[in-house]
Amino acid sequence: MLIAQLSDPHLCAPGTLYQGLVDSNAMFEAAIRRLGALVPAPDLVLLTGDLTEHAAPAEYRLARQLLAGIRQPVLAIPGNHDEREAFRAAFGDLGYLPASGPLHFAAGSIGPVRVIGLDISVPGQHHGDFDEGAAAWLEATLAAEPERPTLIMLHQPPIETGIGFIDAYRCFHGDRLAAIVARYPAVERVLCGHVHRHISRRFGGSLLLTAPSTTTAIALRLAPDAEPASFVEPPALLLHQYSGTGLVTHYLPINPGTGPLPFF
């Protein structure tokens, strides 16, 4: 089973630029074209939040229009730039989101890997929170099929990355999530977005990964007093390939670069 992960497209109303500077819409279209050219084609596409910049109706209409260009099933969770009810209205007809409450879901009918989506958004805030309600829901969901290979997706990573100005907006109560993950060794990955960079860390006995954004990258500034900034670095996506022996994750630039060349 091959699963593609895109993140943080920050789609804007047609004709406008992300932060007034970057054409995030065109960059997401390029990512979709890259997906369409992959051989073999992914079986499933995940979007780990911040589909839109302002959660405006025009942005969600554009999101649906662009996502219609993806042949595979798409599972998406909201980020801090989305808005829960606007997100539910935009994607509720796809059948995997609940009709009320947080937008948690479990999708297990697409292939051998179960995908669990967690809505850790805090309305009106930019940080996330894995609260007691989310913990109870996740525990029950994992316990229903404790040996099923599983991916858990959430927007803000529940760890400190070392980039202080983004860590202030992480998912809080990450220790609560790590304790649950540790009880279920079948959790192959914990997948996040939000930080606009690819980061990996052991987490609850599993592996936590963040996907890069399809638009700008948060500056890798590790000094405690570093000023926030972003760069237009080469955007990328992640490909998670599952076989009966486990999951392998590949980092794939959206621009394929020069090649193929006749050597390896």
Side-chain angles (χ1 to χ4, degrees), residues 69-86:
I70 297 177
R71 302 189 303 270
Q72 298 84 356
V74 176
L75 300 175
I77 54 170
N80 53 296
H81 282 264
D82 295 302
E83 192 280 323
R84 181 176 291 162
E85 295 310 320

Side-chain angles (χ1 to χ4, degrees), residues 240-264:
H240 310 285
Q241 186 175 29
Y242 179 78
S243 66
T245 57
L247 194 78
V248 174
T249 296
H250 302 271
Y251 176 96
L252 184 70
I254 288 169
N255 183 336
T258 301
L261 304 176
F263 56 82
F264 60 91

Side-chain angles (χ1 to χ4, degrees), residues 5-255:
Q5 181 187 357
L6 304 175
S7 201
D8 295 85
H10 288 270
L11 297 174
C12 298
T16 64
L17 300 177
Y18 173 50
Q19 298 293 327
L21 296 170
V22 179
D23 194 346
S24 58
N25 297 351
M27 296 176 82
F28 192 56
E29 291 182 75
I32 292 173
R33 288 194 298 271
R34 183 72 157 124
L35 275 181
L38 291 177
V39 179
D43 300 292
L44 176 65
V45 176
L46 307 181
L47 276 163
T48 41
D50 280 358
L51 272 69
T52 68
E53 174 63 0
H54 302 105
E59 294 172 342
Y60 283 117
R61 285 194 296 270
L62 177 63
R64 287 301 301 263
Q65 176 186 331
L66 296 181
L67 292 176
I70 297 177
R71 302 189 303 270
Q72 298 84 356
V74 176
L75 300 175
I77 54 170
N80 53 296
H81 282 264
D82 295 302
E83 192 280 323
R84 181 176 291 162
E85 295 310 320
F87 195 97
R88 195 193 318 270
F91 299 104
D93 64 305
L94 298 180
Y96 67 91
L97 295 174
S100 61
L103 299 174
H104 308 318
F105 67 83
S109 61
I110 297 170
V113 177
R114 172 180 53 178
V115 176
I116 291 176
L118 291 176
D119 174 8
I120 55 164
S121 60
V122 179
Q125 302 295 322
H126 284 294
H127 69 275
D129 186 18
F130 184 66
D131 61 21
E132 292 182 356
W137 182 91
L138 179 61
E139 183 86 53
T141 301
L142 288 170
E145 294 183 274
E147 298 181 1
R148 178 82 178 268
T150 297
L151 304 179
I152 297 174
M153 53 190 287
L154 61 158
H155 182 62
Q156 295 96 332
I159 60 168
E160 293 187 4
T161 67
I163 306 172
F165 54 82
I166 196 69
D167 286 343
Y169 306 109
R170 68 189 182 278
C171 173
F172 292 104
H173 295 109
D175 53 345
R176 182 181 285 153
L177 176 56
I180 294 174
V181 170
R183 291 196 285 274
Y184 296 91
V187 175
E188 292 277 351
R189 295 286 189 278
V190 177
L191 303 177
C192 307
H194 187 58
V195 298
H196 291 215
R197 302 201 67 82
H198 180 42
I199 297 170
S200 62
R201 204 188 99 168
R202 287 178 59 84
F203 183 81
S206 186
L207 182 62
L208 182 147
L209 300 176
T210 67
S213 170
T214 59
T215 182
T216 55
I218 297 292
L220 182 56
R221 295 181 172 178
L222 301 176
D225 58 350
E227 289 291 324
S230 293
F231 287 87
V232 183
E233 296 180 359
L237 56 90
L238 299 182
L239 282 174
H240 310 285
Q241 186 175 29
Y242 179 78
S243 66
T245 57
L247 194 78
V248 174
T249 296
H250 302 271
Y251 176 96
L252 184 70
I254 288 169
N255 183 336

